[in-house]
Amino acid sequence: MVNFFDTWKKKICTIDMALIAVLTLLASFIGSWLKQYPGFKLLGALIIALLVGMALQLPLHAYKKNNDLRRAGVKSAAGLIANKLLRLGIILLGFNLNLHDLFTEGIKCLPIAAVLVAVMVCITYTIAKLLKVNPQLAMLTAGGTSICGAAAVMGLSGSMPVLPEEEDEKEQNEVMAVATVAIMGTIYALAEIFILPHFGMSTQQLCITAGASLHEIAHAVAAGGAFNNIHVATIMKLARVLMLVPASIFIAIWWNARHSKVENGGKHKISFPWFMLGFIAASVIGTYVPFITAHTTTLVAAGYVFLGMAMAALGINVNFKVIFKKGRAAFAASFLASIVLVILACAAAKIFFV
């Protein structure tokens, strides 16, 4: 136990950790502030924080220049913040998932969400693999496109462990997948707002389609507002968010069976995404514990602050050359899969809603 605390003390109590913590916190606050303005609303706080983190590479380069210790310290600090605060942020987002609403008003949305997520993860992954995207990036892109954008990318990433020497590549894959679904979600949100009303669909059908097909909650809310019923679009979108839990578990099992390295006498070391149980626990507590229910807005806001810090930390460590070289195929896969997702979402809305 003493060794455990000593190890973490050495990681946390450093000048580099303090610097990166302050910078990522500022980036998170900047994202939360800018998202209220029309030009930034569709991007959302997390994507803005990621972009701010990328911009911070320039001043940090001057700080690290010709100093290997600082370079290693900044990289380690940013990696730790991205890893740990990501999980904490996702757990806190569970307080935003009102299970009572989902199991009453959204009861028809749950099976639709389950089928769409399962089908679209498989379709998107297959398209990405055909375009020669590496397996991890292909699955992260599939999850972000099919479930709930950046939160799904980061949640699924926790289900896909890699060796220490592969951590850099994993971080690049996370950023590429997040950037892809952010851009794609914005494109499709605008397209749906302007095009779908011409297909003779009711307000409810339009909002169900938006919630079932758009990538981020911010995108679904924006489209729901344009279609005059944010509540329906949000309920449908939250039904998809709930699918992040079973998806993380199934993908963890699949990833470990297909890709984990053999250890301990030929046995696979299985990594279970335990933090997703925290997400579910937060959902249950936030829905059914009156004292906590009164504070869910604050807890969710804290979750977005931590996630913003994690995204900014990813931006600090991102390698732009790798992004531009490997990201195009993932972008194409998400674009093609999103067309299929919109078609399926429209069909489900037409069949099951009036």
Side-chain angles (χ1 to χ4, degrees):
M1 183 63 72
V2 174
N3 290 336
F4 174 82
F5 285 113
D6 284 343
T7 299
W8 278 99
K9 183 179 179 180
K10 290 177 182 177
K11 289 182 178 181
I12 295 174
C13 300
T14 67
I15 296 297
D16 294 324
M17 175 58 77
L19 174 64
I20 298 304
V22 170
L23 290 176
T24 55
L25 182 61
L26 286 174
S28 184
F29 284 146
I30 290 171
S32 297
W33 173 61
L34 286 177
K35 74 170 184 179
Q36 63 186 309
Y37 296 103
F40 297 96
K41 190 171 290 184
L42 281 177
L43 283 178
L46 300 185
I47 306 307
I48 297 171
L50 175 66
L51 295 174
V52 173
M54 291 178 176
L56 286 171
Q57 284 197 24
L58 188 59
L60 284 172
H61 178 72
Y63 172 75
K64 299 181 294 182
K65 190 175 182 180
N66 300 323
N67 192 317
D68 291 338
L69 286 177
R70 284 183 179 178
R71 189 177 294 109
V74 166
K75 184 175 180 59
S76 175
L80 192 63
I81 287 174
N83 186 285
K84 302 305 178 186
L85 293 191
L86 155 73
R87 287 159 173 74
L88 178 58
I90 288 178
I91 289 171
L92 291 175
L93 283 192
F95 289 104
N96 197 38
L97 195 63
N98 190 303
L99 298 178
H100 176 75
D101 288 347
L102 279 178
F103 292 121
T104 52
E105 298 176 59
I107 193 66
K108 287 172 66 176
C109 297
L110 290 171
I112 293 172
V115 172
L116 281 178
V117 166
V119 170
M120 287 310 305
V121 165
C122 295
I123 288 176
T124 311
Y125 181 79
T126 301
I127 293 173
K129 288 294 292 176
L130 289 173
L131 293 175
K132 303 190 184 309
V133 179
N134 76 63
Q136 186 182 71
L137 177 56
M139 184 52 72
L140 293 178
T141 303
T145 301
S146 308
I147 308 172
C148 55
V153 171
M154 304 309 290
L156 294 183
S157 179
S159 304
M160 303 163 69
V162 297
L163 296 175
E165 59 268 25
E166 298 172 330
E167 282 294 339
D168 285 351
E169 182 182 10
K170 182 179 181 181
E171 287 184 1
Q172 308 310 323
N173 288 337
E174 290 168 352
V175 174
M176 280 187 277
V178 166
T180 294
V181 296
I183 296 170
M184 208 58 59
T186 303
I187 291 171
Y188 276 84
L190 293 171
E192 289 190 17
I193 288 170
F194 289 107
I195 295 173
L196 286 186
H198 299 290
F199 282 80
M201 301 171 73
S202 68
T203 296
Q204 187 179 36
Q205 289 172 338
L206 289 170
C207 291
I208 289 295
T209 301
S213 61
L214 294 177
H215 303 32
E216 300 279 357
I217 292 178
H219 298 144
V221 168
F227 299 145
N228 299 314
N229 198 329
I230 292 176
H231 183 68
V232 171
T234 302
I235 288 290
M236 182 67 240
K237 180 61 187 175
L238 290 178
R240 284 171 70 203
V241 172
L242 184 61
M243 297 304 122
L244 178 57
V245 178
S248 295
I249 294 170
F250 282 117
I251 288 170
I253 295 170
W254 170 83
W255 181 262
N256 280 282
R258 298 267 314 255
H259 300 284
S260 70
K261 306 300 186 249
V262 176
E263 299 178 355
N264 302 325
K267 294 181 179 179
H268 283 291
K269 184 181 178 181
I270 303 298
S271 177
F272 185 84
W274 295 105
F275 67 96
M276 295 310 302
L277 298 184
F279 176 86
I280 285 294
S283 303
V284 173
I285 294 169
T287 302
Y288 299 109
V289 179
F291 171 74
I292 299 296
T293 302
H295 301 283
T296 54
T297 301
T298 302
L299 291 168
V300 171
Y304 273 109
V305 169
F306 292 135
L307 281 176
M309 291 177 69
M311 297 297 285
L314 279 177
I316 287 171
N317 276 345
V318 71
N319 185 318
F320 291 104
K321 291 181 180 179
V322 174
I323 296 294
F324 291 127
K325 183 178 180 180
K326 297 184 178 180
R328 288 174 292 183
F331 187 90
S334 182
F335 179 81
L336 295 172
S338 294
I339 295 174
V340 178
L341 178 56
V342 173
I343 293 171
L344 293 178
C346 283
K350 286 274 194 179
I351 293 169
F352 297 106
F353 295 89
V354 294

